[in-house]
Amino acid sequence: MHNFNHAMLSRQGWCLFQNQDSLCAKVLKARYFPHCHLLEAEPREGISYSWRSILQGLELIKQGYIWRIGDGTNVKIWTGPWIQRAWSRQVITPKGSHLITHVSELMCPITGGWDEAMVRDTF
């Protein structure tokens, strides 16, 4: 029953993620995470039991969630879950003084593939 409950909470979180224009998603965003994305929402004092439970379901989604890079313009290098590894989906290299912020900046505009020199210099 415990695992089933987590699965249903994850499903509710996934529905909110997929339907961000729904009334429910808009109300929850306005109340609980007005200044960030759903996957960046964190528990705080005074939240409802239902929202706290949905946040637990979202934690399960985060464990298996990964960006599809596409053209890379919507994927942040330093904070986005875009690397496929079993133990972490984020970059472990310190940002340092690098000015690039999005994966698209690591790609060659002519070929659409990785700019290997830029990737090596960055990481």
Side-chain angles (χ1 to χ4, degrees):
M1 288 301 282
H2 179 75
N3 289 338
F4 180 75
N5 186 41
H6 278 277
M8 292 297 104
L9 291 169
S10 296
R11 173 139 170 65
Q12 187 63 39
W14 184 252
C15 287
L16 291 171
F17 181 75
Q18 290 293 314
N19 303 308
Q20 295 180 23
D21 291 329
S22 70
L23 178 61
C24 182
K26 287 181 180 181
V27 169
L28 290 172
K29 179 170 181 59
R31 175 82 170 116
Y32 297 118
F33 57 102
H35 305 295
C36 64
H37 188 271
L38 174 66
L39 294 178
E40 297 168 346
E42 294 187 7
R44 57 188 167 124
E45 287 203 29
I47 63 175
S48 71
Y49 180 77
S50 299
W51 178 244
R52 187 176 306 280
S53 299
I54 290 171
L55 286 176
Q56 288 177 354
L58 286 171
E59 286 303 315
L60 289 174
I61 290 173
K62 289 180 194 177
Q63 290 175 14
Y65 175 73
I66 188 167
W67 279 92
R68 299 273 183 216
I69 298 300
D71 65 2
T73 57
N74 295 322
V75 183
K76 295 180 182 176
I77 292 172
W78 307 107
T79 59
W82 63 281
I83 298 175
Q84 190 169 0
R85 286 191 297 245
W87 52 275
S88 174
R89 302 220 186 274
Q90 293 184 336
V91 172
I92 58 173
T93 304
K95 181 178 178 185
S97 61
H98 293 286
L99 298 176
I100 59 174
T101 57
H102 290 84
V103 173
S104 60
E105 298 171 58
L106 296 173
M107 296 181 162
C108 176
I110 297 168
T111 64
W114 295 107
D115 182 341
E116 292 184 29
M118 178 68 82
V119 171
R120 282 192 192 98
D121 290 343
T122 304
F123 304 111

